[in-house]
Amino acid sequence: MQSPTLALIGCGAVAETFHIPALCKRPELLRSLVLVDPDLERARAIRERIGAADAVSDYREVLSRVQGALIATPHGLHHRLTMECVRAGVHVLCEKPLAESALEVDEIVRAAAEHRVHVAVNQTRRFFSSFQAVHGLITSGELGDVREIDYVLGEPFAWPAATATYFGVKSGGKGVLFDTGAHIIDLVCWWLGGRPELVDYADDSYGGTEAVAKITLLHGGAAANVQLSWLTKLRNTYRVVGSRASVEGGVYEWSSYSIRKGSGRARKVRTDSASRMLTDFPEMLLENFTRAVAGKEAPRVPASATRDSIAVIEACYANRKRLPAPWQDACERLAHV
């Protein structure tokens, strides 16, 4: 299989942490890789360090000479850049979230079909063998009727962002839900097999960027509760309760889970014989994408597969409420005495 010529659009923290280490293990891709970043000095420094073919500041310079693009820019640029690449006949692997609305996802899907290219999305958790196993337990009926999903993920924000786009005006008023939540809501939709109904959404934004969010969803008879935080470390676990059995695990346990049937004891199940590290997953993603570009296989997570989760996130922001903050309310009352 001939290696495609790729462009890495955006050379910030996602590229440095996720994509570049995977690309460095594929010298046949590095030989023709083009790095793109408005900070040309940054792109050139990375090119020198890893031995890429070229570095430019404007992605439009390279669309005519690449077959695929890895889009690792700030979130608000994903839809526009994906559309421009697709219209130029370039396959895309885009960071999550793919878009800000379900209609934007539909636009991307239509354009990709029209121009006969693939658009894949980095929903890394779908590559975890443990989460694939949970999906299998649900779809096979082994858990019985799913009654509840509980997912809690919280860590102090420590991402080494290269641009000021996670908070304030440049975030567009979107924070932990649009970032971390894009992974978790996608996972919940995937496990449930469709788009759940929004029951309740509340965050701490006060009109700005939310750092804490709580979401309640309903799909058939299954209730899903998701708690997210950029402020503090939470228990970081998930649990899926069915009428026959329940399964649970840590959110970073990508090779095992625990299952409990009825009133019996929990049993640990190993889902991958390999001793994997987090850095293995971008390699899997890159392998899938390059094979999709070559027409050898379909993307593991195509653009269309993310529509439900994007629609849920869109609904959350359209119906956001403020989380209870009695200490803040008390301060406000005192200020007006």
Side-chain angles (χ1 to χ4, degrees):
M1 182 178 74
Q2 185 176 0
S3 298
T5 299
L6 302 179
L8 175 57
I9 304 176
C11 296
V14 173
E16 289 269 29
T17 306
F18 195 88
H19 296 289
I20 289 175
L23 287 162
C24 284
K25 294 185 178 182
R26 299 282 297 273
E28 75 281 10
L29 296 176
L30 283 182
R31 283 193 289 268
S32 60
L33 178 68
V34 183
L35 301 170
V36 183
D37 198 277
D39 184 346
L40 185 56
E41 291 307 309
R42 180 184 185 90
R44 284 174 172 169
I46 296 174
R47 180 196 64 191
E48 290 298 319
R49 188 177 83 234
I50 69 173
D54 199 2
V56 302
S57 61
D58 190 337
Y59 64 92
R60 287 165 290 199
E61 295 180 30
V62 302
L63 294 184
S64 63
R65 56 187 175 108
V66 301
Q67 287 81 54
L70 314 180
I71 297 180
T73 62
H75 301 151
L77 298 174
H78 290 177
H79 168 256
R80 177 170 65 82
L81 293 181
T82 297
M83 286 298 296
E84 291 193 45
C85 288
V86 166
R87 286 169 176 158
V90 175
H91 301 269
V92 173
L93 168 56
C94 186
E95 275 300 316
K96 59 78 198 163
L98 176 63
E100 296 188 51
S101 71
L103 289 178
E104 288 183 346
V105 175
D106 292 340
E107 185 181 17
I108 289 170
V109 171
R110 286 194 301 270
E114 178 184 350
H115 294 277
R116 298 183 180 180
V117 295
H118 291 296
V119 175
V121 186
N122 177 20
Q123 297 290 354
T124 314
R125 284 158 178 77
R126 293 205 194 195
F127 285 78
F128 292 5
S129 62
S130 56
F131 290 173
Q132 291 171 2
V134 172
H135 180 261
L137 291 170
I138 293 171
T139 56
S140 69
E142 189 168 343
L143 297 185
D145 295 328
V146 176
R147 294 172 175 170
E148 181 183 354
I149 294 177
D150 177 70
Y151 201 109
V152 177
L153 177 59
E155 301 281 358
F157 184 89
W159 186 248
T163 57
T165 56
Y166 281 90
F167 298 95
V169 174
K170 291 186 178 180
S171 76
K174 295 179 173 67
V176 67
L177 174 65
F178 201 54
D179 182 59
T180 308
H183 278 305
I184 311 314
I185 301 300
D186 172 77
L187 190 64
V188 169
C189 291
W190 183 47
W191 282 349
L192 291 175
R195 175 185 170 182
E197 174 190 353
L198 176 65
V199 176
D200 189 62
Y201 172 73
D203 63 32
D204 64 343
S205 72
Y206 283 82
T209 304
E210 81 280 355
V212 178
K214 292 184 177 181
I215 309 102
T216 302
L217 305 168
L218 186 64
H219 187 271
N225 297 288
V226 178
Q227 182 177 350
L228 306 167
S229 177
W230 271 348
L231 297 183
T232 188
K233 186 176 180 65
L234 300 178
R235 57 184 166 86
N236 295 331
T237 61
Y238 69 89
R239 187 166 186 248
V240 182
V241 179
S243 57
R244 296 177 183 170
S246 63
V247 61
E248 60 186 40
V251 299
Y252 303 119
E253 291 179 14
W254 45 72
S255 297
S256 64
Y257 65 88
S258 293
I259 187 169
R260 184 190 305 271
K261 295 185 177 181
S263 58
R265 298 184 61 175
R267 177 173 60 91
K268 192 85 166 183
V269 178
R270 180 81 182 176
T271 56
D272 196 329
S273 58
S275 179
R276 299 204 181 276
M277 301 174 64
L278 190 58
T279 52
D280 291 331
F281 298 104
E283 294 173 33
M284 295 179 189
L285 188 69
L286 182 62
E287 173 67 13
N288 174 239
F289 179 61
T290 55
R291 289 183 63 82
V293 172
K296 300 295 184 181
E297 64 186 48
R300 292 273 291 274
V301 188
S304 58
T306 68
R307 190 188 193 280
D308 288 339
S309 60
I310 295 295
V312 169
I313 292 171
E314 184 182 9
C316 287
Y317 284 126
N319 296 277
R320 73 196 314 175
K321 297 188 300 187
R322 198 182 78 179
L323 282 169
W327 57 91
Q328 179 68 24
D329 296 338
C331 289
E332 290 178 356
R333 286 195 297 271
L334 287 172
H336 290 89
V337 170

